[in-house]
Amino acid sequence: MHLRFAAAVLIAGVFLASASCSQSDPNRKATYPVAGELYVDGKPAENVQVVLHDRAGMDTAQPTFSTTFTGKDGKFSLSTYEAGDGVPAGDYAVTFRWGELNVFSMQYGGPDKLKGKYDDPETTPFQVTVEEGKPTDLGRIELTTE
C-alpha cells in the first residue's frame, strides 16, 4: 500500500512540474477542452483516431497538432501539448480513422475500418469551432462503416 502512495505522489509531482513549465512557455497557445463520444454502427468505438485540422491552414509561426484516440466507451478528449489539455481557439475540420493499435510496437495503422469516409479534412461533414475560454462538447457522433 505504501508503494502505491509513493507512486501516486511521484506521478502527481511530475504532472504538476510539467504543467507549470508548459503553461509558462510563451510559444504555447492557450487550449480549451474539446470532448465527445464516438459510436460506429450504433456501438461505442474504441481506438478511433480523432484529428482536428485548422480550416485556416497550419500556423507556421506556432504550429499545433490536436488529436486523440477514443476509449473503450467511445469517449475522447482532444490533446495538443499534453494528454487531454484541449485545442487552441479556431475553426476545425474533424476527421476519424479507425485502424489497429499494435500494443507491442505502439504503432497505429492498417486498413481504415471506416473505409476512408471520414479521413479527409476537405470532405468530412464534421466541423467545430473552439471558442476562447469555453469548453466544447462535440456530443455523440454517429458514424457508419457502410
Side-chain angles (χ1 to χ4, degrees), residues 28-79:
R28 179 178 166 157
K29 295 177 183 177
T31 56
Y32 308 97
V34 177
E37 59 182 321
L38 183 69
Y39 280 63
V40 176
D41 297 332
K43 298 178 186 171
E46 182 179 15
N47 289 328
V48 177
Q49 183 181 38
V50 182
V51 180
L52 267 59
H53 306 268
D54 192 333
R55 294 180 61 205
M58 181 64 75
D59 178 350
T60 56
Q62 290 181 295
T64 58
F65 185 70
S66 303
T67 188
T68 194
F69 289 92
T70 58
K72 191 173 275 196
D73 57 1
K75 293 183 179 179
F76 60 90
S77 295
L78 281 129
S79 306

Side-chain angles (χ1 to χ4, degrees), residues 9-128:
V9 169
L10 178 62
I11 290 169
V14 169
F15 174 77
L16 289 173
S18 67
S20 65
C21 290
S22 62
Q23 289 174 351
S24 65
D25 183 351
N27 295 316
R28 179 178 166 157
K29 295 177 183 177
T31 56
Y32 308 97
V34 177
E37 59 182 321
L38 183 69
Y39 280 63
V40 176
D41 297 332
K43 298 178 186 171
E46 182 179 15
N47 289 328
V48 177
Q49 183 181 38
V50 182
V51 180
L52 267 59
H53 306 268
D54 192 333
R55 294 180 61 205
M58 181 64 75
D59 178 350
T60 56
Q62 290 181 295
T64 58
F65 185 70
S66 303
T67 188
T68 194
F69 289 92
T70 58
K72 191 173 275 196
D73 57 1
K75 293 183 179 179
F76 60 90
S77 295
L78 281 129
S79 306
T80 300
Y81 300 103
E82 54 198 46
D85 66 341
V87 177
D91 294 316
Y92 296 90
V94 186
T95 62
F96 304 92
R97 184 176 189 291
W98 195 5
E100 292 289 331
L101 178 64
N102 182 319
V103 294
F104 295 109
S105 68
M106 293 310 291
Q107 298 292 315
Y108 189 76
D112 182 3
K113 296 176 195 172
L114 299 169
K115 302 173 184 137
K117 288 173 45 176
Y118 310 101
D119 196 26
D120 184 345
E122 297 296 321
T123 61
T124 181
F126 300 97
Q127 310 291 319
V128 64

